C-alpha cells in the first residue's frame, strides 16, 4: 500500500532503485496506490492528527502526485504494470452519505478534466509499457500463487484461502500511515 501523498518516501526510493536495477516483466501495485483521505469516514481523524496535510489538499493534486511520483517512475517500455484496486480506490465509488465535500471534489475533478474513469484520471494509456487496472478480487500471478488486497493472513487464513481459491493468497494490505 503506497497511499500516495502519505507514502513513505524512503521506502519508495528503495522500490524505484530495485525496479531500475532488476529487469522485471510485471510489477503489481496491490491496491491503495491512492489514499483519497477526504473521501473517507476517517477524514476528520486525519484532520485531527495532521491538519497541515489536508489544508491545501485537492483530489486533482493527489492524482497528479500519483502519476508523477509513483506511476511514471515505475512504468517501463515492454513491461506490464498492474494496478489493483484497494479499499482506498474504491472510495471513489462509495462516497459516504452526507460527505458533501467529497462529492463536490469528485464532481469538480470530473468537470475540470472531462474524465470519468480511474484509468483516464491516472492517464494509464499515456504511460510507457502496458499499464492497466485489475478490478478482480484475486489476481493469479502463477498457477500456485494469487494476490489480493486485504485478505487476512491470521489464524486459519491459509487453509481457508486454499479451500476458497485453490491457492494461497498473498496480500499487501498494511497500514502504516506516515503521519
Amino acid at each position: 500500500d503506497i497511499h500516495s501523498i502519505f507514502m513513505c518516501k524512503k521506502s519508495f526510493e528503495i522500490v524505484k532503485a530495485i525496479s531500475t536495477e532488476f529487469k522485471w516483466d510485471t510489477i503489481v501495485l496491490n491496491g491503495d496506490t491512492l489514499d483519497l483521505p477526504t473521501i473517507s469516514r476517517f477524514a476528520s481523524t486525519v484532520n485531527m492528527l495532521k491538519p497541515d496535510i489536508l489544508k491545501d489538499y485537492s483530489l486533482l493534486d493527489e492524482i497528479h502526485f500519483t502519476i508523477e511520483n509513483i506511476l511514471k517512475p515505475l512504468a517501463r517500455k515492454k513491461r506490464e504494470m498492474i494496478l489493483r484496486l484497494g479499499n482506498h480506490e474504491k472510495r471513489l465509488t462509495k462516497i459516504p452519505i452526507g460527505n458533501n465535500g467529497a462529492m463536490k471534489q469528485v464532481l469538480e475533478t470530473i468537470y475540470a478534466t472531462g474524465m470519468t474513469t480511474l484509468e483516464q484520471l491516472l492517464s494509464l494509456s499515456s504511460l510507457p509499457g502496458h499499464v492497466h487496472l485489475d478490478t478482480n478480487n484475486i489476481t493469479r500471478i502463477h498457477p500456485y500463487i494469487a494476490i489480493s488486497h486485504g485478505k487476512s493472513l491470521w489464524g486459519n487464513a491459509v487453509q481457508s484461502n486454499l479451500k476458497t481459491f485453490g491457492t494461497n493468497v498473498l496480500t499487501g494490505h498494511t497500514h502504516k500511515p506516515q503521519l
Side-chain angles (χ1 to χ4, degrees):
D1 297 13
I2 298 173
H3 290 277
S4 187
I5 59 173
F6 294 111
M7 77 174 171
C8 175
K9 291 181 173 107
K10 288 180 184 177
S11 297
F12 195 69
E13 288 302 317
I14 294 168
V15 170
K16 288 193 311 188
I18 291 169
S19 77
T20 301
E21 185 175 337
F22 296 97
K23 304 302 178 206
W24 43 266
D25 295 323
T26 303
I27 187 168
V28 179
L29 300 181
N30 194 27
D32 293 356
T33 303
L34 292 167
D35 192 82
L36 308 173
T38 59
I39 306 175
S40 165
R41 59 189 167 135
F42 301 111
S44 60
T45 304
V46 172
N47 236 351
M48 180 182 68
L49 295 173
K50 190 77 171 176
D52 296 351
I53 296 262
L54 298 181
K55 187 173 84 177
D56 296 320
Y57 173 87
S58 82
L59 176 57
L60 198 52
D61 288 343
E62 181 175 355
I63 289 168
H64 286 291
F65 177 91
T66 303
I67 294 167
E68 294 301 319
N69 296 288
I70 298 169
L71 300 179
K72 281 185 177 178
L74 294 178
R76 301 280 189 277
K77 290 182 180 176
K78 299 182 182 179
R79 295 188 182 148
E80 179 181 27
M81 182 189 305
I82 302 170
L83 277 74
R84 295 186 35 75
L85 295 181
N87 53 305
H88 286 253
E89 288 84 12
K90 290 178 183 176
R91 289 176 179 176
L92 285 169
T93 63
K94 298 178 181 177
I95 298 171
I97 293 173
N99 191 339
N100 296 334
M103 181 60 80
K104 181 180 179 217
Q105 278 195 4
V106 170
L107 292 174
E108 285 174 347
T109 301
I110 291 170
Y111 182 75
T113 63
M115 299 174 187
T116 58
T117 68
L118 192 55
E119 291 96 330
Q120 292 171 330
L121 287 170
L122 293 175
S123 302
L124 298 187
S125 64
S126 70
L127 295 169
H130 177 62
V131 183
H132 61 96
L133 283 180
D134 181 351
T135 59
N136 296 311
N137 287 331
I138 300 290
T139 299
R140 194 169 293 281
I141 58 173
H142 182 274
Y144 304 110
I145 302 171
I147 55 176
S148 175
H149 182 85
K151 291 291 175 207
S152 173
L153 298 176
W154 296 99
N156 66 350
V158 172
Q159 293 87 345
S160 175
N161 289 339
L162 285 169
K163 184 186 273 185
T164 305
F165 305 112
T167 186
N168 192 16
V169 178
L170 305 173
T171 182
H173 194 245
T174 59
H175 283 272
K176 185 179 177 187
Q178 303 301 312
L179 301 174

